[in-house]
Amino acid sequence: MKHDRILLSHGSGGSLMHSLIRDIFLRKFNNPVLNQLADAATLALKGEAAFTTDSFVVSPLFFPGADIGKLAVCGTVNDLVMAGAVPEYLSLGIIAEEGLKIAVLEKICDSIRSSAKKAGVRIVTGDFKVVEKGACDKIFINTSGVGRITGKSRMSAQMIEPGDKVIITGEIAQHGLAVLAKRKNIDLKLNIKSDCQELASMLVPVIKKTGAVRFMRDPTRGGLATTLNEIARSSRKGILIDEKSIPVSSQVKTACDLLGIDPLYVANEGKAVLIVENKKSGRIMAMLKKHPLGKRCAVIGSVSENFKGRVILNTPVGTQRLVDMLSGEQLPRIC
Amino acid sequence: MKHDRILLSHGSGGSLMHSLIRDIFLRKFNNPVLNQLADAATLALKGEAAFTTDSFVVSPLFFPGADIGKLAVCGTVNDLVMAGAVPEYLSLGIIAEEGLKIAVLEKICDSIRSSAKKAGVRIVTGDFKVVEKGACDKIFINTSGVGRITGKSRMSAQMIEPGDKVIITGEIAQHGLAVLAKRKNIDLKLNIKSDCQELASMLVPVIKKTGAVRFMRDPTRGGLATTLNEIARSSRKGILIDEKSIPVSSQVKTACDLLGIDPLYVANEGKAVLIVENKKSGRIMAMLKKHPLGKRCAVIGSVSENFKGRVILNTPVGTQRLVDMLSGEQLPRIC
């Protein structure tokens, strides 16, 4: 590269942009579809497809456990998995601030590359825009994703039935706390890392082999509480949760106590909530526990005919409380 | 709406974001796929699909002839058409600055809605992020698109052959000048409007009915000169252009003279360059001329075995000059 920082000309459509595309994006994401440099990528798809989009504006760009690049791949991959799809193709839309160090862009692209490889997806189309210094904060990334849906993987909130079990695939609230601590420069000495991970490798086999997952959603912005409320509302069922069954690491518990935060509302980036048939919940739990990302999975509650559209928490002291959606703003730019 | 400006909480994933999604996005883009509010949309696709992405950071948001919303739909729709696809589905990823007037967001969404309707596409999935005041300039929009490719529509730069004709579908350089004049507050008294338009309705029938379009690209950032260079490079052929055959309106000519700008490098948002079989070029021109967006189409040159990878312009005074890609930055944030 002739320059060490992004110039406005890198986004002009002209020769400098073409060099950047060749020297960074084609080199790092090299695959036959992308290499065509067509206005649109051609995908080979059979049957139904899933399609999703997510923009990433996380600040800071790098934080314990992940960075904006890994997040941009995992976030979109996971949204495809939540729809019962096998993630296949990603687009990559970058908005960079004039003056961004090209070394930072390269580091982010390396992270995108390795995360995409791990999740089994290819970056097949992209766009690169540059805005003047001060018009955006360093870099924003949009990824959109296309995945393949196969027959047995159909899921929807409408399929949820009373008696179904509610499973969380692991310990909650790590991503939000890791970003918060890094941003505010709080050293909690607790070694909390973002849980940012792609969930395709763990969850696609569970969906396909058991055929017993009714619905699935990843508790990102708004945390577990907000996601459970979304599920309760769209299924028009009640969700009863046992507080003591929710997996929370001791470090996260301590950090939440110190900071006065409820872990139920803290964002996750490598967890899923599964609503599953009661009689197959044991088999599903066994499959999850065998996977490195599912070791701390837990049945945290069940679906009820009562409390339609609401989430009820059984507390350790034997009382019940209503858990609502996140109402304000806990921490902006968490993802 | 309870608020008249975007708050950070509108992007938190919680109840305020859910209200915004319901009150604006679902109301305006209402369709059965989007209304599911799933993590990913389910698309019914048969055979091959095209997939593309584009982020829009245009400044100002509103300019003569279009706005960021119309641009975000047309830009992505046109990229699908350039790949020979029938545009079907769009995603919508919005990054909004805290404090953005909700009325502005609504106006942009109205423009997205009417542009999508005109282009025959549906907004099926989306994402909404809010960043603190000062962390982005008002609003950035990413749209990704999925379209259907049918048998007869396969096109590629490798199919281009010597003797093929080069067609531009209309007058060039309007979009860039309209944005420039509005941004710099230059009143040229020339009434130049952006040409921003979806090209599916005009070009999909031409591709399908004639089967004689070898390649197609829309000359956006970098203008006609840059696009022709991209085509010359990827086809490894020469492209010979007659300067006097390039359609430029008298207003654009005057404005370019006044501002010292070469219209060949100014962005278009409603034009396409077509490389077509010589013997069917007459039929293609006749089809284009019948369409309201193609009235000023023109054959501007041809493909040659000579000057491989280069674009040569025959000037009105009988000389030839090499036309290169845009090398610097003409105007940032044109789209």
Side-chain angles (χ1 to χ4, degrees):
Chain A
M1 300 290 305
K2 275 182 287 186
H3 305 274
D4 66 348
R5 287 185 184 267
I6 291 292
L7 310 177
L8 285 171
S9 302
H10 281 116
S12 71
S15 52
L16 211 54
M17 189 169 97
H18 282 81
S19 309
L20 189 79
I21 289 171
R22 195 182 54 234
D23 295 344
I24 298 190
F25 301 117
L26 285 187
R27 200 160 52 78
K28 294 199 191 288
F29 307 137
N30 171 47
N31 68 66
V33 186
L34 180 67
N35 297 354
Q36 297 259 337
L37 287 184
D39 280 317
T42 302
L43 316 182
L45 285 167
K46 280 175 192 152
E48 280 186 329
F51 179 35
T52 191
T53 193
D54 219 334
S55 298
F56 297 87
V57 297
V58 66
S59 169
L61 300 177
F62 302 89
F63 46 87
D67 58 66
I68 191 171
K70 183 179 184 186
L71 198 58
V73 172
C74 295
T76 292
V77 159
N78 290 348
D79 278 346
L80 291 173
V81 175
M82 296 307 121
V86 180
E88 295 204 332
Y89 305 103
L90 289 190
S91 67
L92 177 65
I94 294 179
I95 300 172
E97 185 183 14
E98 177 189 14
L100 179 76
K101 279 187 187 159
I102 288 182
V104 170
L105 179 65
E106 291 209 72
K107 197 172 161 191
I108 291 168
C109 287
D110 284 334
S111 174
I112 290 172
R113 176 173 58 179
S114 60
S115 306
K117 194 176 172 193
K118 202 167 169 193
V121 293
R122 287 184 294 171
I123 311 290
V124 291
T125 186
D127 177 58
F128 187 74
K129 291 275 164 30
V130 182
V131 297
E132 320 87 278
K133 195 153 182 60
C136 89
D137 187 8
K138 297 183 191 77
I139 189 168
F140 297 152
I141 298 180
N142 176 284
T143 49
S144 298
V146 174
R148 190 169 20 95
I149 300 182
T150 57
K152 270 189 102 177
S153 59
R154 184 167 300 285
M155 301 184 291
S156 86
Q158 286 71 48
M159 291 167 63
I160 295 173
E161 289 184 17
D164 285 352
K165 292 295 180 200
V166 181
I167 292 172
I168 180 90
T169 59
E171 291 169 334
I172 64 166
Q174 294 163 338
H175 174 74
L177 284 174
V179 173
L180 173 70
K182 177 80 181 175
R183 169 131 35 114
K184 305 284 189 188
N185 226 343
I186 306 170
D187 187 359
L188 295 164
K189 311 269 185 220
L190 289 168
N191 193 29
I192 295 170
K193 285 184 182 160
S194 167
D195 61 337
C196 177
Q197 288 295 344
E198 63 80 24
L199 296 169
S201 59
M202 174 169 70
L203 294 178
V204 170
V206 171
I207 300 169
K208 294 201 181 301
K209 286 186 187 158
T210 70
V213 180
R214 313 258 202 204
F215 190 70
M216 203 181 259
R217 177 154 282 184
D218 51 342
T220 55
R221 280 182 287 177
L224 178 62
T226 302
T227 296
L228 290 173
N229 268 281
E230 289 168 357
I231 298 173
R233 285 182 192 186
S234 45
S235 66
R236 298 200 176 87
K237 303 283 185 299
I239 294 186
L240 304 182
I241 300 295
D242 280 314
E243 188 168 355
K244 65 176 187 300
S245 66
I246 301 172
V248 188
S249 74
S250 57
Q251 292 93 325
V252 165
K253 260 188 201 135
T254 307
C256 283
D257 285 348
L258 282 170
L259 299 166
I261 290 174
D262 185 342
L264 285 178
Y265 293 94
V266 178
N268 309 277
E269 288 291 345
K271 299 297 178 306
V273 175
L274 280 61
I275 313 291
V276 308
E277 284 178 38
N278 181 20
K279 64 174 196 277
K280 292 194 182 164
S281 59
R283 187 177 164 210
I284 289 172
M285 284 293 291
M287 287 183 76
L288 292 173
K289 275 183 195 289
K290 269 192 199 157
H291 194 280
L293 297 178
K295 289 196 186 312
R296 296 279 287 130
C297 66
V299 175
I300 58 170
S302 59
V303 175
S304 164
E305 197 62 81
N306 304 319
F307 305 107
K308 279 191 172 51
R310 295 183 180 275
V311 178
I312 305 294
L313 192 78
N314 294 310
T315 69
V317 293
T319 58
Q320 285 196 321
R321 72 173 171 98
L322 183 72
V323 175
D324 209 346
M325 281 197 176
L326 178 65
S327 64
E329 170 57 61
Q330 198 177 62
L331 179 71
R333 300 181 62 187
I334 199 72
C335 57
Chain B
M1 300 290 303
K2 275 183 285 184
H3 305 273
D4 65 348
R5 288 185 184 268
I6 291 292
L7 310 177
L8 284 171
S9 301
H10 281 116
S12 71
S15 51
L16 211 54
M17 189 171 97
H18 282 80
S19 309
L20 189 80
I21 289 171
R22 196 182 55 232
D23 295 344
I24 298 189
F25 302 117
L26 285 187
R27 200 159 52 77
K28 294 200 191 288
F29 307 136
N30 172 47
N31 67 65
V33 186
L34 180 66
N35 297 354
Q36 298 260 335
L37 288 184
D39 280 317
T42 302
L43 316 182
L45 285 167
K46 280 174 193 154
E48 281 187 328
F51 179 36
T52 191
T53 193
D54 219 335
S55 298
F56 297 86
V57 297
V58 66
S59 169
L61 300 177
F62 302 89
F63 46 87
D67 58 66
I68 191 171
K70 183 179 184 185
L71 197 58
V73 172
C74 295
T76 292
V77 160
N78 290 348
D79 278 346
L80 291 173
V81 175
M82 295 308 120
V86 181
E88 296 204 330
Y89 304 102
L90 289 190
S91 67
L92 177 65
I94 294 179
I95 300 171
E97 185 183 14
E98 178 190 13
L100 179 77
K101 280 186 185 160
I102 288 184
V104 169
L105 179 65
E106 290 210 71
K107 198 173 161 190
I108 290 168
C109 287
D110 284 334
S111 173
I112 290 172
R113 175 173 57 179
S114 59
S115 306
K117 195 176 170 191
K118 203 167 167 192
V121 292
R122 287 184 294 172
I123 312 290
V124 291
T125 187
D127 177 58
F128 187 75
K129 291 277 169 22
V130 182
V131 296
E132 322 87 278
K133 195 154 182 60
C136 90
D137 187 6
K138 297 183 190 77
I139 188 168
F140 297 151
I141 299 180
N142 176 284
T143 50
S144 298
V146 174
R148 190 171 16 98
I149 299 182
T150 58
K152 271 189 97 175
S153 59
R154 185 168 300 284
M155 301 184 291
S156 86
Q158 286 71 46
M159 292 168 63
I160 294 173
E161 289 184 17
D164 285 352
K165 293 295 179 200
V166 181
I167 292 172
I168 180 89
T169 59
E171 291 169 335
I172 64 165
Q174 294 164 337
H175 174 75
L177 285 174
V179 173
L180 174 69
K182 177 80 180 176
R183 169 129 37 114
K184 304 285 188 187
N185 225 344
I186 307 170
D187 187 0
L188 295 164
K189 311 270 186 218
L190 289 168
N191 194 28
I192 296 170
K193 285 184 181 158
S194 167
D195 62 337
C196 177
Q197 288 294 345
E198 62 81 23
L199 295 169
S201 58
M202 175 168 70
L203 294 178
V204 170
V206 171
I207 300 168
K208 294 200 180 302
K209 285 186 187 159
T210 69
V213 181
R214 313 256 204 205
F215 191 70
M216 204 182 259
R217 178 154 280 184
D218 50 343
T220 56
R221 279 182 288 176
L224 179 61
T226 302
T227 297
L228 290 173
N229 269 282
E230 289 168 358
I231 299 173
R233 286 183 192 186
S234 44
S235 66
R236 298 199 176 87
K237 302 283 185 298
I239 294 186
L240 305 181
I241 299 294
D242 280 314
E243 187 169 357
K244 64 177 188 299
S245 65
I246 300 172
V248 188
S249 75
S250 57
Q251 291 94 326
V252 165
K253 260 188 202 136
T254 307
C256 283
D257 285 347
L258 282 170
L259 300 167
I261 291 174
D262 185 342
L264 285 178
Y265 292 94
V266 178
N268 310 276
E269 288 291 346
K271 298 297 177 307
V273 175
L274 280 60
I275 313 291
V276 307
E277 285 178 37
N278 181 20
K279 64 175 198 272
K280 292 194 182 164
S281 60
R283 186 176 165 212
I284 289 171
M285 284 292 291
M287 287 183 75
L288 292 173
K289 275 183 196 288
K290 270 192 197 158
H291 194 280
L293 298 176
K295 288 195 187 312
R296 295 281 285 130
C297 66
V299 175
I300 59 169
S302 58
V303 176
S304 164
E305 197 61 81
N306 304 319
F307 305 107
K308 279 190 172 52
R310 295 183 180 275
V311 179
I312 306 294
L313 192 78
N314 293 311
T315 69
V317 293
T319 58
Q320 285 196 321
R321 73 172 170 97
L322 182 73
V323 175
D324 209 346
M325 282 199 175
L326 178 64
S327 64
E329 171 56 61
Q330 199 176 61
L331 180 70
R333 300 182 62 187
I334 199 73
C335 58

